[in-house]
Amino acid sequence: MSVLKSALEHAVREEEILRNTLADSIETVQLSMGQELLEYARAATAPGAKTLSATEYRWLSRRLAEALTDALRVADSRGQRIPDQEEAAEDA
């Protein structure tokens, strides 16, 4: 294997590692923010909680929809990174 080809393959692996690390960090932040929002929504809609205005409920529902969208995107992304068990068995 040529030195150039080896260096290129190494650079590609390094880039993939960095991209995956960045994706993992972004996903962690998104899920953490979703968790905080869910806690707020539960408290805001609990029996005896102060009634929110229509604008506040609309804001809350939009943020919950955004958090759900992020969570589904994370689940899809992580699902794509999990090797198919049948393919893994065939490769072994």
Side-chain angles (χ1 to χ4, degrees), residues 20-92:
N20 288 341
T21 301
L22 177 60
D24 288 345
S25 296
I26 291 169
E27 290 171 355
T28 298
V29 169
Q30 289 174 322
L31 294 176
S32 175
M33 290 172 64
Q35 179 65 38
E36 289 179 28
L37 182 62
L38 182 58
E39 291 170 10
Y40 173 79
R42 285 182 174 148
T45 59
K50 173 187 150 276
T51 301
L52 301 176
S53 70
T55 301
E56 291 169 318
Y57 278 119
R58 192 170 26 261
W59 179 90
L60 181 57
S61 67
R62 286 180 180 163
R63 300 301 79 82
L64 287 169
E66 290 169 359
L68 178 57
T69 300
D70 288 342
L72 291 172
R73 188 179 304 121
V74 168
D76 183 53
S77 172
R78 290 184 179 179
Q80 290 176 10
R81 288 185 260 164
I82 297 172
D84 184 1
Q85 294 302 318
E86 291 178 13
E87 289 179 19
E90 290 173 7
D91 291 342

Side-chain angles (χ1 to χ4, degrees), residues 9-21:
E9 288 175 356
H10 178 72
V12 168
R13 282 192 304 273
E14 288 288 321
E15 183 179 335
E16 185 176 336
I17 290 168
L18 289 172
R19 189 174 28 247
N20 288 341
T21 301

